[in-house]
Structures are given as structure tokens and as C-alpha cells.
Amino acid sequence: MFKNNLKIAWRNLLKGKTFNLINIAGLSVAVACCVLLFLTVVYEFSYDKFHKNLPDIYQVYLTQNRAKGIERGTAMPEPLTPALKAEYPDVQFISRLGQGGAEISYKSKKIMESIGFVDEDFLNIFTFPLEKGSVKTALHDLHNIVITEYVAKAIFGKENPIGKTLQFKLYNQPQSFVVGGVAKDFPDNSSIGFDVLIRFENYRNYQQNLDKWDVGNHSTYVKLNAGTDPTAFEKRLIPFAKNHFKEDISNIKRDGAKPDANGNVFTVNISPFAKNHFNNELSGLEGSPISRVYVIALLAIGIFILLIACINFINLNIARAFNRAREVGVRKTLGAGKWQLLVQFWTETALVCLIAFGFGLLISSLILPLFAQNFKSHIHLNMLLQPGLLLASFSTFFLITLIAGFYPAWLMLRYKTVLVLKGTVNTTKPGQVRNVLLITQFALSTLLIICTLVTWQQMQYMQNRPLGYNRTEVISIPLGNLAGTNALDILRQKLQGSPEVESITGSRINLGLGNDGSTMTSITGFNYKGHEVQSHILQVDYDYLKTLGIQLLAGRDFSRDFATDSNAVIINEKMAAQIGSKNPVGTYLPYQDNKPPMQVVGVVKDYNFHSLREEVEPLSIAINERNRLEYAFVRLKPVSLNASFSHLKSQWHQIFPNTEFNGSWLNENTERQYQSEKRLSNIFIGSAIIAILISCIGLLAMAMMTMVQRTKEVGIRKVLGSSISGIVILLSKDFVKLVLLASVLAFPVAYWVMHNWLQSFAYRIEISWWIFGLATLIALVIAVATVSFQAVKAALANPVKSLRSE
């Protein structure tokens, strides 16, 4: 029986080539898109799942209920970790993690690698298996290190690295370390990354900060004993906070803190490490957390596209089923039972779906490299073999074939055989179902169009909004292993006579996200006139304001003519407002307790030194500690900028032949901050195009089917004198009404979704009414063009041919 059904299904597939081709094309494109989008979602949710102790791993953070709002930060003071381990038996393992980098030398080889400064418990908390060495002894000694397989291969080749000594240039000081272990290269879906692990005792200023509870410079992770209630453990940490953070609590209360529900203004808390990848509430998390909204948007888009394709499939099957009404009637007359007809329809549908799924997988495999490159994804098709994804795929396949196969057959079987054979079947209810499905289809398409327009407009706004500094003529160059040397002075001296160079300066912190991928922020706090003041600290070289074109509102810039500028500071408007001074020039501010107060010599206009997701915050710019400048900024004259960039690159290689030139324009750096938004915008654009395309394919097929069903009517109208334009309008107006209704239904949902998305930006657009009008116009024009093509074709047909057979 199955073989017979399969043969009949194949014959019908060939018989209805046009409609089956439309079905297969729409479904296969939808399947290809959904495979890529759903695999991306699965990948994002798989972050850090490879850690065996994941349910018991937590990150420590501090909550401060300040007068201006709640602050949650992961920067921990150095004495916190040993104190927690000593005072709480619930803590099985605990480790600090500080980030850094160093130049590593072995024989004639020199490489720059990232370093994780950790405690000995680190490898007991996280699952980073050792290929060589023992977890118990790999970091036992203060000068033992663990390197990854990648680093081992780069330095030692095939040589056994265990016990070998490596020379490090760490904080500009030469140090020797012995390889105690080689860790397997960790997967891409890891929030924590490193090339080398070194004991935390070697971290910057470790001895100076050993007893300071007010200096946070690293993260802390704990593994609780199995069965420990994290909520109860957090409550037991309340006395710990009151005991060790007395000064912070006192300052917060003095400044008008708002206690939480339990009356606390400062608490030590823990957050499940498993949630870090989507945690946007904590500052300073490892691995650049992403918004859960981004991933949910991918999931929703995938579902929308699949739903639109399925609606096409179901609609066409319903319409085509009524064209096969007489066939069903004949089969029933010859003794075919209900289940036989149901199985036959389902077999035909399953065959079409199977072919579409096959082509969809083929298309996805072909475009996967391009998708991975554009969206920075690490997915692969082998992920589909996971049990959960296999079950979801089979379930989706069965559901689609069940609805699209059984439903049309069930509609046919409800009618009496005599009526079916006479061709007098009433198709009103199926027409209503078709209309509901078409409205749903175009509502989803219009929703995606609106989302595309809003994200595109927000991206344009962020790219074109003035940030308060020159980003089109300035090149940012990470100094890398030259940081802490006199490289900036050498660069300035060598380029001084260059005709294309306007000015040169340096900074410890980059603007935007450079080619080195590094981001950093430095915040300090102090008491001033009875209240606490917090400010970002930026250490720069001379000519910083001149090079970046930052507007000076009062006072002066730093100058080599003033020896006292080594203890001077320039502040922005927000900082001036925070200290409560309308004319702060000449004011002395006590930034550090053990150093003299710093004099304010200038005030600059607020500029966006962070991304537009954040409001401009108080900033203090200082010239100090030249050895901490890590970026050079070169401003070029606005003539042949691309040629000047190439010339600067060649000069760099002449001046520093052993250091890679990793420079980039500041406008590239600022755009790089919005990579996730760009990816989302590109996905919206692509999905909107695909959704509209699939909807139009379905609409075209439905229009073709409608014209076939109304052939006699069109012929009679033409004989009675109807014009071609009148017939086109008559045949098109019902579809136009459905598209307009679909657009109106999409408006409130689209507004709610995009309004909530825009709230994540401190600087954002307002959603204008014309966006909804334009989205409706786009959907309407495409729909009218699609339907009118078939309507004009039907109107131009010779009525004699359509009426001859009647």
C-alpha cells in the first residue's frame, strides 16, 4: 500500500509541477534560513555548558544602592577572596581572575599572548582539561604557569613543554616562569579565554593592594559545596559586607543611599556563572555578554519565516485540493475509504516536504561560510545531530505535513460524493481560512519590514551623530609590546616633519573598539565637600585635546611649559556639575588619599568616550605615568587620507620593524562597538526580504489559483462590456484589503517590540509615523504588483476560450 501511495504521490508531484515547485522553493528557502538561525540560537545558549561543575559555579559581585541608582559591579578587592575562603565553609573552591598580556620569549621566538592571573583553585572550579601535567600541581608554585595547546605549539613545536622555562616581559619587568601544564584548547563558546595562566600573586600592584578593600581590579569565582542554597548563602554574606566594607557603607549612607527591601545599602552577592553570557546587569563580566533580546529575535525571525512558508504550503494545498474535488469523488465512488484518502494526501505532502527539507539543508550548507563570516558565528551543520535538535526537526516535519496534508483531505471528505462529482462544493469556509492565513503571513512580513526600518534608522543615527571628537581624520594605533616604552616620543620625533601628519598624542584607553579588541575603563572615587564623587580616569599625553578636536570650554590645555601639569587634571561638564562648581578651574580635587590634590586646569565639552548605549559620565583627564600609555593617536591632514594611512603604515614598519601595525580609523573603532546591532540589522533586512519573497510566491500562486477558479466569471464580464482595468481592480481589491488589514494588525506589535529594543540605547531615535506608512506601502506595492500580474493576464485572455467549454 505504501509503495502504491508513493507512486501516486510522485505522479501527482509531476502533474502539478508549477504549484509543487512553488511549494518546494518557498519551503527550502525557509528551511535553509531556519537551520542557520536556529543553530545560532542553540550555539548562543550552549555557552559555558562544557564546565562539569556549572550548576555550582558563581561569580561574586557587589551591589551598591546609591542615591542615583543601583550599581552592580564585578571588580573585587584583593583581600576578599582569601577572606571568603577562610570565613565560609560553604565555599569549596574560590579563585580570582585578572586579565593582562605579556611578551613571551623562548630561545629566538617572541610572541604576545593574553594572560589570566588566577589562584590555584581555578582549574578545580572550571573544566579546562590538561593535556599534559596535573591539575593538582600545575599552578602549585608561584612561578608555575599553564599554557594552551595553541601556545605550546607556537613556542615549542613538537618539543615537550613541561618543565621548560619561559621569559616574560611582565609590566616592563623581565621574569621567568616554568611550564607546569598544557591545557587543551577550549571551545569557542567559552566566556573565559586565556593563552597563559599565571598565579594571581604576580598581578599588577598585588603587594600594594593586598590589604585594600576599596580597590577593585579583578573578578572572583566560587564553587559552592554540592547542595548549598545560594539564596541562603547570600544572606550569610550580609555580616561579611558590614564587617569589611564599613567605609563604603558609611559614604553611601552619607550621600543619601536608598536601602533595599532588607534595609541594606551595600551587599556582597553571587550570580550563577551559567547566566553570564546573557547577563547585562553586571558590569565587568568576561567574554562580552550579549543581550538575550538579540538571541530571542533570531529565534522569532526563524519561526516567522518558517510560519510564512508553512502558510504558503497549507494555502496552496487547500486551494489545489478543491481543484482535485472530482478526483476525490471518483476515488470515493470506487470504494476508497477515508483513511486511504487521508494517507494518500499526507504521503504527497510528506514527499514535497522531504524534498524541500533536503534542498534546504543543501542551501544552508552552501551559504554557511558566508553566514558565519558576516555574523561572526561558529556554528556547523553537525550540531543538527544533537538529540534535541533531531527531535525538534522531526516534530516540525511531522506537524507541517500533518496540517498541510490531512486538513485539505478532511475538508474534501466532509462533502457528499454527489456534490463533489457535480463540482458544486461550497468553498466559503476554506476561503475564510485562506484569508486568515494570508493576513497572518503579511502581518509577519510587515512586522519584519518595520523592524528593519527602525534598526536601520537607529544604526544611521549612531554612525552620524556627533560624538564630540574628530573620528574621520584620526588613526588609533595599539602600541602592544611597545606600551610602557618611549615609543610615543620616538614616533612623534620621526613623524614630526611628515607633511600629512597634523599632530600626535597617546592614551592609556582607546576610543571605541580597536583592531586589538581590547576595552578598558578606570573609575575612581573620593570624598569632596561632604559627599562622594565618582569619575572615569583617563591618562593621556600632551596634545590630546588638539589631536582629537575636543572642545575646551574653560581654562587651558596641558602644556609642557607648566611643570605642575604632572599633577593637573582636565574635567568634562558632567564632572564639573558633580562637584557642584560653575567655574571649577583652579579647584583642587583629592583623587588619591596618599597623593597631593590635583588642580583643575580646564573644562571640556562632554563627549561620548563610551558607546551611545551609555550616557556621558563624569570624566577626569590627567597627564601621569607615561609608562601606562597603550595607544597612539595620529591626526592626519584632510588630504588623500587613504594614501596618508598607507604611508603612515610603511613609516611605522621602518621605525618599529618588529612590531605589527594594528592601526585603524576612529570611525571604524566606533562602528565596531555596534557589531551586535549591525548583525541584528542585517538579519532583519535579510529576513524581511526572504519573508516578503516567500509571501509573494504564495500570493502569486493563490492569485493564479483564484484566476483559474474565476475564469468563467471574467469571460462573462468581458462579454458584457467590462474594461480590462475594471476587471484587474475587481480581481485585486480583495487581496489589497487583506494586506492593509495585515499591516494595521502588525503596527502595535512592531511598535512595542522596537520601542523596548531602543530603550537599551541612551541616545536613540523616536519611532516616527512614516515608518509604519512606508512599511505598509512596501508590502502593498509588492502585493499589488504580484496579484496584478495574474489579474492583467486573466483580463487579457480571450473570453471565447473560457466560455467554450461551459
Side-chain angles (χ1 to χ4, degrees):
M1 180 62 73
F2 174 75
K3 185 178 179 181
N4 186 52
N5 284 337
L6 194 61
K7 281 183 179 180
I8 296 172
W10 181 252
R11 287 172 187 164
N12 284 325
L13 181 66
L14 296 177
K15 186 178 178 182
K17 290 178 182 177
T18 303
F19 293 102
N20 286 321
L21 187 62
I22 290 173
N23 269 334
I24 291 171
L27 262 183
S28 55
V29 171
V31 167
C33 294
C34 290
V35 165
L36 297 177
L37 293 176
F38 291 163
L39 286 183
T40 301
V41 171
V42 170
Y43 174 79
E44 295 296 340
F45 277 106
S46 72
Y47 256 76
D48 301 312
K49 294 293 190 293
F50 61 92
H51 294 295
K52 295 178 180 178
N53 301 320
L54 189 62
D56 297 320
I57 301 175
Y58 297 86
Q59 178 155 9
V60 182
Y61 69 95
L62 304 178
T63 302
Q64 302 178 56
N65 292 272
R66 297 181 176 275
K68 61 181 181 181
I70 299 175
E71 295 180 4
R72 298 179 179 90
T74 57
M76 296 292 117
E78 287 183 9
L80 180 139
T81 296
L84 277 178
K85 191 169 186 177
E87 297 179 27
Y88 291 90
D90 294 317
V91 176
Q92 184 180 10
F93 299 112
I94 188 168
S95 175
R96 294 164 287 196
L97 173 60
Q99 296 288 357
E103 182 184 78
I104 305 174
S105 304
Y106 179 72
K107 296 180 180 178
S108 60
K109 294 182 179 178
K110 289 186 178 181
I111 59 174
M112 282 291 298
E113 300 295 350
S114 64
I115 295 176
F117 296 87
V118 300
D119 290 297
E120 195 173 359
D121 280 351
F122 182 81
L123 294 175
N124 291 316
I125 297 174
F126 298 104
T127 306
F128 294 113
L130 297 187
E131 182 70 23
K132 295 179 181 178
S134 170
V135 171
K136 295 181 180 179
T137 59
L139 292 171
H140 183 69
D141 189 84
L142 294 183
H143 284 81
N144 278 359
I145 62 172
V146 171
I147 61 177
T148 60
E149 288 179 309
Y150 166 78
V151 175
K153 186 176 181 180
I155 296 177
F156 298 102
K158 296 182 180 180
E159 190 178 350
N160 185 6
I162 300 297
K164 299 292 192 301
T165 300
L166 296 176
Q167 302 299 321
F168 280 63
K169 188 179 180 182
L170 196 60
Y171 307 127
N172 300 317
Q173 298 295 325
Q175 294 190 51
S176 299
F177 293 92
V178 178
V179 178
V182 178
K184 292 182 179 179
D185 290 334
F186 46 83
D188 294 315
N189 55 349
S190 173
S191 297
I192 295 176
F194 59 87
D195 294 316
V196 181
L197 293 178
I198 295 179
R199 284 287 292 269
F200 190 83
E201 288 80 356
N202 298 287
Y203 196 45
R204 183 197 296 270
N205 300 328
Y206 174 76
Q207 292 297 332
Q208 299 176 25
N209 298 325
L210 199 54
D211 298 319
K212 292 184 178 179
W213 286 85
D214 58 346
V215 178
N217 57 10
H218 66 277
S219 303
T220 296
Y221 301 93
V222 299
K223 180 188 178 296
L224 300 179
N225 290 317
T228 302
D229 183 359
T231 305
F233 179 73
E234 273 194 334
K235 290 181 179 179
R236 293 196 291 274
L237 290 175
I238 294 175
F240 180 88
K242 292 179 178 179
N243 183 36
H244 294 289
F245 293 94
K246 292 178 181 178
E247 186 176 349
D248 293 275
I249 293 173
S250 176
N251 291 336
I252 292 173
K253 286 183 175 179
R254 178 200 60 202
D255 295 336
K258 299 177 181 178
D260 61 18
N262 298 316
N264 299 308
V265 297
F266 190 108
T267 55
V268 178
N269 305 94
I270 57 173
S271 173
F273 179 70
K275 297 181 179 180
N276 270 19
H277 187 56
F278 299 112
N279 195 333
N280 296 114
E281 294 183 356
L282 301 183
S283 61
L285 291 175
E286 303 287 338
S288 301
I290 66 171
S291 172
R292 189 180 291 268
V293 174
Y294 169 73
V295 180
I296 292 174
L298 294 184
L299 181 63
I301 289 169
I303 293 173
F304 288 171
I305 290 176
L306 186 60
L307 188 58
I308 289 170
C310 289
I311 288 172
N312 269 358
F313 195 28
I314 294 167
N315 259 346
L316 289 175
N317 275 17
I318 292 173
R320 192 157 178 263
F322 282 93
N323 284 351
R324 296 172 61 185
R326 285 189 174 89
E327 176 194 338
V328 173
V330 171
R331 284 177 177 273
K332 290 178 70 176
T333 303
L334 295 175
K338 290 185 178 181
W339 278 107
Q340 284 180 304
L341 291 172
L342 287 172
V343 170
Q344 180 60 51
F345 271 78
W346 181 83
T347 304
E348 293 177 18
T349 306
L351 184 60
V352 173
C353 281
L354 193 61
I355 295 172
F357 269 63
F359 276 111
L361 289 175
L362 178 62
I363 295 170
S364 62
S365 65
L366 293 175
I367 64 176
L368 179 59
L370 184 63
F371 180 88
Q373 180 182 353
N374 288 338
F375 300 113
K376 309 299 180 187
S377 179
H378 300 278
I379 62 174
H380 48 83
L381 290 184
N382 290 340
M383 294 169 63
L384 286 172
L385 299 178
Q386 297 176 17
L389 288 179
L390 281 175
L391 179 62
S393 301
F394 283 124
S395 300
T396 304
F397 178 85
F398 182 75
L399 186 62
I400 293 172
T401 56
L402 185 69
I403 297 174
F406 280 0
Y407 181 63
W410 176 74
L411 287 176
M412 285 289 94
L413 294 174
R414 290 173 59 209
Y415 298 107
K416 294 180 179 180
T417 307
V418 176
L419 294 177
V420 172
L421 289 172
K422 285 182 178 180
T424 57
V425 174
N426 183 1
T427 59
T428 304
K429 187 172 181 181
Q432 292 174 351
V433 173
R434 181 202 68 183
N435 291 344
V436 170
L437 292 176
L438 276 177
I439 289 171
T440 304
Q441 193 176 47
F442 270 90
L444 294 175
S445 299
T446 307
L447 173 64
L448 290 175
I449 293 173
I450 294 171
C451 292
T452 299
L453 293 173
V454 173
T455 52
W456 178 82
Q457 193 180 12
Q458 176 65 16
M459 290 303 301
Q460 292 299 308
Y461 172 78
M462 291 190 296
Q463 290 174 7
N464 299 324
R465 187 184 190 278
L467 300 181
Y469 58 86
N470 188 326
R471 51 177 171 162
T472 58
E473 301 167 3
V474 181
I475 298 173
S476 160
I477 309 173
L479 295 177
N481 60 343
L482 297 173
T485 67
N486 61 343
L488 194 62
D489 289 334
I490 296 173
L491 189 66
R492 185 182 280 116
Q493 182 182 355
K494 294 290 185 181
L495 299 179
Q496 192 170 12
S498 183
E500 65 265 15
V501 175
E502 184 79 31
S503 59
I504 299 174
T505 188
S507 171
R508 188 188 175 202
I509 300 175
N510 203 355
L511 284 168
L513 188 63
N515 283 332
D516 60 343
S518 176
T519 58
M520 184 171 62
T521 187
S522 179
I523 300 176
T524 189
F526 58 88
N527 292 318
Y528 181 74
K529 292 185 178 181
H531 71 279
E532 186 180 21
V533 173
Q534 284 193 326
S535 172
H536 289 262
I537 292 291
L538 177 62
Q539 301 206 355
V540 303
D541 195 26
Y542 293 102
D543 299 326
Y544 187 79
L545 303 186
K546 173 186 174 183
T547 303
L548 291 171
I550 297 172
Q551 185 179 350
L552 187 67
L553 299 178
R556 60 174 177 84
D557 195 357
F558 295 121
S559 173
R560 295 177 179 85
D561 298 332
F562 293 86
T564 55
D565 276 3
S566 60
N567 196 46
V569 67
I570 295 174
I571 63 175
N572 67 352
E573 294 174 283
K574 281 289 180 70
M575 182 62 178
Q578 188 179 199
I579 63 176
S581 176
K582 294 182 179 180
N583 185 21
V585 176
T587 304
Y588 285 86
L589 301 176
Y591 282 91
Q592 298 185 50
D593 295 336
N594 56 348
K595 291 185 178 181
M598 302 179 74
Q599 184 184 24
V600 178
V601 298
V603 179
V604 296
K605 187 176 180 63
D606 286 340
Y607 69 96
N608 295 97
F609 54 93
H610 284 158
S611 76
L612 293 176
R613 298 186 195 94
E614 306 171 33
E615 293 273 5
V616 175
E617 296 182 335
L619 174 68
S620 302
I621 305 172
I623 286 190
N624 198 5
E625 297 185 83
R626 170 69 63 83
N627 62 343
R628 300 183 74 179
L629 301 180
E630 298 184 13
Y631 296 90
F633 294 112
V634 181
R635 182 172 180 175
L636 303 177
K637 293 179 181 177
V639 180
S640 303
L641 290 174
N642 290 333
S644 299
F645 183 92
S646 301
H647 187 235
L648 175 64
K649 185 176 180 179
S650 63
Q651 287 181 302
W652 173 276
H653 289 307
Q654 292 175 11
I655 301 169
F656 308 111
N658 297 322
T659 303
E660 180 186 1
F661 178 82
N662 212 10
S664 58
W665 296 103
L666 282 186
N667 57 357
E668 295 175 343
N669 288 8
T670 54
E671 288 178 12
R672 224 175 263 123
Q673 294 177 117
Y674 312 114
Q675 288 177 343
S676 62
E677 285 79 10
K678 274 189 173 181
R679 288 197 292 269
L680 183 61
S681 177
N682 290 337
I683 288 173
F684 271 135
I685 292 171
S687 60
I689 293 172
I690 291 170
I692 285 291
L693 182 63
I694 295 174
S695 297
C696 287
I697 290 173
L699 192 60
L700 177 64
M702 291 304 301
M704 290 169 63
M705 197 73 72
T706 302
M707 303 313 159
V708 170
Q709 291 172 350
R710 299 179 69 176
T711 301
K712 179 182 175 182
E713 177 191 345
V714 171
I716 293 173
R717 288 182 179 275
K718 287 192 70 177
V719 169
L720 294 176
S722 292
S723 64
I724 293 176
S725 59
I727 292 174
V728 170
I729 293 172
L730 175 71
L731 296 176
S732 303
K733 66 179 182 180
D734 290 337
F735 290 104
V736 170
K737 289 177 183 177
L738 295 177
V739 173
L740 286 174
L741 179 58
S743 299
V744 172
L745 293 175
F747 289 167
V749 178
Y751 179 84
W752 179 80
V753 170
M754 298 317 295
H755 175 75
N756 288 337
W757 178 71
L758 287 171
Q759 299 312 303
S760 62
F761 298 93
Y763 303 91
R764 54 185 176 265
I765 62 167
E766 293 293 332
I767 302 178
S768 305
W769 64 268
W770 62 263
I771 290 179
F772 300 96
L774 180 59
T776 303
L777 184 63
I778 292 172
L780 197 58
V781 167
I782 294 172
V784 169
T786 304
V787 175
S788 296
F789 174 76
Q790 286 300 318
V792 170
K793 188 177 178 182
L796 291 174
N798 189 346
V800 175
K801 291 182 179 180
S802 61
L803 297 175
R804 182 184 298 165
S805 60
E806 296 298 329

